[in-house]
Amino acid sequence: MNSNLGLDRLSLPLLLISLPITVMSVLLPMYTSALGLNALQVTGLFSVFSFILVIMRLFIGRITDRIGRKPVFISGLLFYALSYFIYTIGRTISLIYIGRSLQAIAAASVNISIYSMIADLNIKGNAHSFGKINGYYDKGGLLGIILCFFVLYTPSLVDGWSRLFAICTFLAILSITYSLIFLHETKPLSRNISKVSLNDNKNLLRIFSLIFSIFTSTVSAIFVLYLQSRFNSDLLEIGIAFLFPNLILAFASPRLGRISDNIGSKKVFSVSLIMLIISMFVLPFMDNIYLFGAIWTIYIIAITLLDVTLMGVYVEDLKEEIRGAAIGKLTMASNIGSIIGPVIGGLAFQIINIKAPFIISTIGFVLMLIMIIYYGRHQFN
């Protein structure tokens, strides 16, 4: 199959299922608080999501290698539809936790299957392909933000939430129908599943991904809390200020991947980390939310550039029969980091200072840059 055609056929289902994902980190705490959940129950929703992701990564990759990419991808879409339906009717803590758990299973299934498809379809230019996938997600998130402005414009957040996820359920079912008809399998089925054995370079990239995830999630976990504490802004003002980063990423992600393919991974890793260090150091000193949003845009671009480069380098030269399992190992490392980072960020925010998570992440990115310089001569080229 033509690689561009294969990727283009992923665009519609990914766009449709990603509509509520970008706003979820803001809406979920608001909705569950409106239902009367306490702070521990609300934060537990994020912890259970990350925990289930880690568990699912252990075997979703092997299932993808055994039965193929398309069945796992479509099952992920089905889990998205089920989770959105549960959110539509969810008025109790048990239903919300069930919906969140199903969403985690869906995310693991969809991500590993599409990353494996990219590895199947591309010999060169992997970073560009991962950038295109991120662009599909970002476009869906952008449309989701716009949809929220209309659907949630109601005195009752609970009613607005139900309408939003009723729409998302219908669109997820539409994505399943589309994928069943138009999506093709990219991997020939085989019963010969090899033991997953990764070389030192791949394992180093997994460690790098783990550390990177820790320090990015240290800040992302307290992001909304910081903005409300620092600028005393309402959610509408926050949404307007940060609509611009989503708009840029929705169209720039493939170009960022192309940059990575053209100039080489070591240079991209170094430049991205320098951008992260500077932006992360400057952000706590911004006194205007819109200026903060502009610097945050640079920060998000650097994260995206590094992320697509990391994935592009990792999938190169993976044996066909272990691609899903190997990608599962990488994404599992990232998810473990996403469990550790919020704990660090939350404790630093509450105990030390609201600016402390930014300083911690800055130090972490400096250490990663040193790691790139030390190991980069061989492993990252």
Side-chain angles (χ1 to χ4, degrees):
M1 182 195 301
N2 179 274
S3 61
N4 289 327
L5 178 61
L7 287 177
D8 290 341
R9 286 179 175 174
L10 290 170
S11 61
L12 181 62
L14 292 181
L15 185 145
L16 293 178
I17 62 168
S18 62
L19 288 174
I21 293 177
T22 298
V23 298
M24 202 71 173
S25 60
V26 177
L27 285 182
L28 189 61
M30 292 175 58
Y31 176 70
T32 49
S33 296
L35 293 180
L37 273 66
N38 59 40
L40 181 60
Q41 291 170 327
V42 172
T43 55
L45 288 167
F46 293 91
S47 297
V48 75
F49 183 85
S50 297
F51 177 75
I52 292 176
L53 274 180
V54 171
I55 298 300
M56 294 301 296
R57 304 294 192 194
L58 294 174
F59 55 88
I60 285 292
R62 286 193 172 274
I63 294 174
T64 304
D65 290 330
R66 185 172 294 276
I67 69 173
R69 322 310 190 194
K70 181 178 177 179
V72 175
F73 180 75
I74 292 176
S75 68
L77 299 180
L78 178 61
F79 277 115
Y80 268 119
L82 290 173
S83 69
Y84 293 162
F85 176 73
I86 295 296
Y87 286 145
T88 302
I89 63 174
R91 296 289 189 276
T92 63
I93 182 173
S94 58
L95 282 177
I96 297 300
Y97 267 86
I98 291 172
R100 191 66 170 160
S101 300
L102 291 173
Q103 187 183 356
I105 297 172
S109 301
V110 168
N111 288 344
I112 291 180
S113 59
I114 61 175
Y115 292 164
S116 299
M117 289 180 191
I118 291 175
D120 293 336
L121 292 170
N122 290 271
I123 298 176
K124 298 295 182 182
N126 284 319
H128 174 67
S129 299
F130 284 115
K132 289 185 71 172
I133 294 298
N134 284 350
Y136 300 150
Y137 277 119
D138 293 329
K139 288 183 177 71
L142 180 63
L143 292 176
I145 293 173
I146 297 172
L147 179 64
C148 286
F149 277 114
F150 292 98
V151 177
L152 297 179
Y153 190 70
T154 170
S156 173
L157 175 62
V158 174
D159 292 337
W161 170 280
S162 295
R163 285 202 297 269
L164 172 65
F165 280 99
I167 294 171
C168 292
T169 301
F170 170 77
L171 294 177
I173 294 173
L174 183 62
S175 73
I176 295 171
T177 305
Y178 173 91
S179 299
L180 285 170
I181 297 172
F182 295 106
L183 198 64
H184 297 296
E185 181 58 64
T186 61
K187 175 189 178 297
L189 296 181
S190 172
R191 295 184 179 180
N192 297 320
I193 307 299
S194 301
K195 180 180 178 181
V196 181
S197 180
L198 301 175
N199 60 34
D200 291 342
N201 291 355
K202 304 296 186 189
N203 288 322
L204 182 61
L205 287 169
R206 290 173 58 205
I207 296 172
F208 189 81
S209 179
L210 169 67
I211 299 171
F212 180 60
S213 180
I214 290 174
F215 291 114
T216 52
S217 61
T218 295
V219 172
S220 62
I222 53 88
F223 179 67
V224 174
L225 293 174
Y226 177 83
L227 293 178
Q228 291 178 319
S229 300
R230 182 77 167 84
F231 301 107
N232 195 28
S233 302
D234 58 30
L235 290 173
L236 178 60
E237 188 176 12
I238 293 174
I240 294 173
F242 293 92
L243 186 63
F244 187 59
N246 286 280
L247 182 62
I248 289 180
L249 286 178
F251 298 96
S253 290
R255 292 177 175 82
L256 294 176
R258 184 70 74 189
I259 290 171
S260 172
D261 290 328
N262 289 337
I263 71 174
S265 57
K266 182 184 176 183
K267 291 180 181 178
V268 171
F269 284 142
S270 300
V271 171
S272 299
L273 285 169
I274 291 171
M275 292 171 63
L276 289 172
I277 292 167
I278 294 173
S279 58
M280 189 56 55
F281 180 78
V282 170
L283 278 171
F285 300 99
M286 296 295 101
D287 294 324
N288 180 281
I289 188 171
Y290 296 104
L291 185 57
F292 187 99
I295 303 298
W296 184 260
T297 301
I298 297 173
Y299 172 75
I300 294 297
I301 289 173
I303 285 179
T304 304
L305 183 58
L306 194 149
D307 188 54
V308 298
T309 303
L310 178 63
M311 286 299 303
V313 174
Y314 184 82
V315 300
E316 287 180 0
D317 305 320
L318 284 177
K319 295 180 181 179
E320 180 183 276
E321 63 270 18
I322 66 164
R323 282 173 182 162
I327 291 171
K329 285 179 174 289
L330 177 68
T331 53
M332 184 175 67
S334 176
N335 290 138
I336 292 174
S338 296
I339 295 174
I340 299 172
V343 176
I344 297 173
L347 290 174
F349 183 88
Q350 184 173 345
I351 297 175
I352 304 175
N353 185 279
I354 64 172
K355 296 181 180 181
F358 295 88
I359 304 303
I360 292 172
S361 291
T362 301
I363 295 172
F365 293 139
V366 170
L367 294 176
M368 290 182 68
L369 181 60
I370 295 172
M371 178 181 176
I372 289 292
I373 294 172
Y374 183 78
Y375 288 104
R377 179 173 298 178
H378 300 292
Q379 281 86 345
F380 294 106
N381 270 323

